[in-house]
Amino acid sequence: MRRQAAVAISQELSRLASHSPGPSTWIHQVRRRSSLLSSRLEEKPFSEVEMSYIKQGEEALQKSLRILEDQDDWKTETVAGNGDKVLSKVLPDVGKVFRLEVVVDQPLDTVYGELVDNMEQMGDWNPNVKEVRILEKIGKDTVITHEKAAATPGNIVGPRDFVSVRCAKRRGSTCVLAGMSTTYGAMPEQEGFIRAENGPTCMVLRPLPGSPSQTRLTWLLSIDLKGWLPKTIINQVLSQTQVDFAKHLRQRLAR
């Protein structure tokens, strides 16, 4: 059964890739090496539930890359003085998505270590995050997380939390951290929090060409905050969240 499921996932990834015209080099590299999934799944007898989470992570990765590779119709939301840029576009089946483009003055391994290996420490340095907790690890690449967002100034948005499946892929010189909302029986909706949804979302890390001590970070953000909120407030909060993230990440890495 595991072998059949692995083959089915590999075929599905190939089908998704075939519907995405003209992928850039780094996106093609990630997709081409996704065929390694089949052999990786044979390393351990995953349960049916674990397999479903692994597949969700792969789907989040593929959907995110399809969004990022389409360069049409992106509109500028904000450009910071240091060149940090937030773009946005509206997708029929997803809604409004935001795209952060920044360069961080740290090598890729350092940035990757902070965002993946030290994931649960994000609440220590990012004021927009109250807590990130890993609920379960599945294999080498996939985790289930519970995240609590910090209160916004004036409590405009109100407390939100998320349950997500995340997968981390390192393919050559490119790293992709992808995720999307999921359900997890051991983490039902929490009193005092509105269970929001995210995804597909991802962060792409690549060395800056000609400068391996710097990392280009692209963050695709897609969130449904739930509840009744004016779109103007949502757009302002989400784009500012991305700008703030870049600032606080730099401060963290500098320390």
Side-chain angles (χ1 to χ4, degrees), residues 226-239:
K226 301 298 183 179
W228 185 89
L229 289 170
K231 289 185 178 180
T232 53
I233 292 180
I234 293 176
N235 295 341
Q236 179 181 354
V237 168
L238 294 183
S239 60

Side-chain angles (χ1 to χ4, degrees), residues 115-153:
L115 296 178
V116 178
D117 299 333
N118 298 332
M119 182 187 304
E120 291 185 301
Q121 299 177 23
M122 187 174 293
D124 297 340
W125 55 267
N126 187 349
N128 291 315
V129 176
K130 184 176 182 179
E131 180 185 54
V132 176
R133 184 157 63 95
I134 295 176
L135 302 176
E136 182 178 347
K137 293 184 178 181
I138 305 173
K140 298 178 180 178
D141 301 332
T142 306
V143 296
I144 309 297
T145 63
H146 180 235
E147 309 114 57
K148 293 181 180 178
T152 58

Side-chain angles (χ1 to χ4, degrees), residues 42-62:
E42 291 300 320
E43 296 175 4
K44 173 186 173 182
F46 292 104
S47 69
E48 184 177 348
V49 173
E50 289 172 328
M51 288 288 292
S52 71
Y53 286 129
I54 291 174
K55 184 175 181 180
Q56 287 176 46
E58 294 286 341
E59 289 174 347
L61 183 147
Q62 294 296 329

Side-chain angles (χ1 to χ4, degrees), residues 74-91:
W74 289 95
K75 298 181 179 179
T76 301
E77 290 280 338
T78 182
V79 180
N82 62 359
D84 291 357
K85 181 185 297 184
V86 177
L87 309 171
S88 70
K89 71 188 301 184
V90 178
L91 302 175

